[in-house]
Amino acid sequence: MDLSHLDKKYFIDTRIYNCPFCRRGNVVYRIIDSFIFDWSNESKVFGYLVKCGSNGCEKISLHFSKKELRKTTRSEYGLTLMNEFKDNIDLDNEFFYSRPTSFFTIDERINKKIRDLVFEAEQSRQANLLVGGSACLRKVIYELLEFEKSILRDKKTGHANYQESIRNLKNKFPKK
Ligand SMILES: [Zn+2]
């Protein structure tokens, strides 16, 4: 069975996730805190702090959802919320904001301009601003080409030819 789609997920199930900090896959996490706040006059948002259980990492990420996602258990006092997410829900779909997002925790070796733009693109996507998000990503590519001095210009017009430039960048870093 092909399980590679699980690598692309943030939360795999109620116990296991791919940690955005230590980048280890399939590690145990736990909810260490949760809270509700007023997102606006009309809506409330549920926040969860999730801690990586991987030895030496133990970093905490933040996740917002429009729904209460914790399990309830029946006790003598009625229903009590547990510090665990409900079964059988796709947590990645339920969170509309996570910090850090799973894939773009870019480390400091990458130029800051590029990191900032990728961060902006993520924020746009999370806010459903897809045009803005793709504009940011396009800028990331332009910046990267410039940074790597890979821009090729049209000899007549002097304008950058990005298609050729991307090919040029690809040739600079052939797969080993
Ligand atoms: Zn971790």
Side-chain angles (χ1 to χ4, degrees):
M1 194 166 40
D2 178 22
L3 296 173
S4 61
H5 64 283
L6 293 181
D7 296 337
K8 295 190 197 104
K9 289 190 77 70
Y10 202 143
F11 287 89
I12 295 166
D13 62 29
T14 55
R15 285 184 335 110
I16 307 284
Y17 78 156
N18 293 321
C19 177
F21 294 105
C22 62
R23 304 277 186 138
R24 269 169 255 179
N26 288 297
V27 291
V28 174
Y29 69 87
R30 61 193 176 88
I31 305 173
I32 58 158
D33 206 353
S34 56
F35 50 89
I36 305 175
F37 66 98
D38 291 295
W39 185 262
S40 67
N41 268 331
E42 292 80 32
S43 61
K44 291 194 185 302
V45 159
F46 299 81
Y48 303 94
L49 292 176
V50 164
K51 189 172 185 173
C52 175
S54 185
N55 244 339
C57 175
E58 289 153 12
K59 290 224 163 27
I60 299 164
S61 54
L62 168 71
H63 310 274
F64 288 162
S65 170
K66 291 186 176 139
K67 293 182 212 154
E68 175 58 77
L69 300 176
R70 284 175 299 160
K71 248 181 223 168
T72 48
T73 170
R74 204 169 280 283
S75 70
E76 52 185 309
Y77 308 107
L79 285 178
T80 320
L81 282 160
M82 291 167 72
N83 253 353
E84 198 177 305
F85 292 125
K86 284 178 203 164
D87 297 307
N88 303 321
I89 51 172
D90 184 352
L91 288 163
D92 285 4
N93 272 340
E94 299 296 339
F95 295 126
F96 68 89
Y97 176 92
S98 292
R99 187 72 219 157
T101 52
S102 53
F103 306 110
F104 291 117
T105 318
I106 305 180
D107 77 37
E108 262 122 63
R109 284 171 296 181
I110 307 285
N111 177 289
K112 182 170 185 309
K113 231 174 173 177
I114 292 173
R115 271 187 290 140
D116 287 350
L117 281 165
V118 171
F119 179 68
E120 229 181 294
E122 279 175 52
Q123 300 284 301
S124 305
R125 188 186 61 82
Q126 287 188 332
N128 240 332
L129 302 169
L130 298 183
V131 175
S134 63
C136 289
L137 279 182
R138 203 170 314 128
K139 269 204 92 180
V140 169
I141 294 167
Y142 297 167
E143 286 292 338
L144 184 66
L145 289 170
E146 196 161 312
F147 187 73
E148 294 294 345
K149 299 185 174 53
S150 298
I151 294 187
L152 294 175
R153 294 186 183 280
D154 188 295
K155 284 197 183 78
K156 274 186 213 148
T157 63
H159 292 311
N161 181 332
Y162 286 111
Q163 240 170 27
E164 284 303 318
S165 305
I166 289 168
R167 256 178 230 131
N168 189 27
L169 181 66
K170 197 178 161 196
N171 293 336
K172 255 180 113 169
F173 298 100
K175 264 198 189 147
K176 279 173 196 134

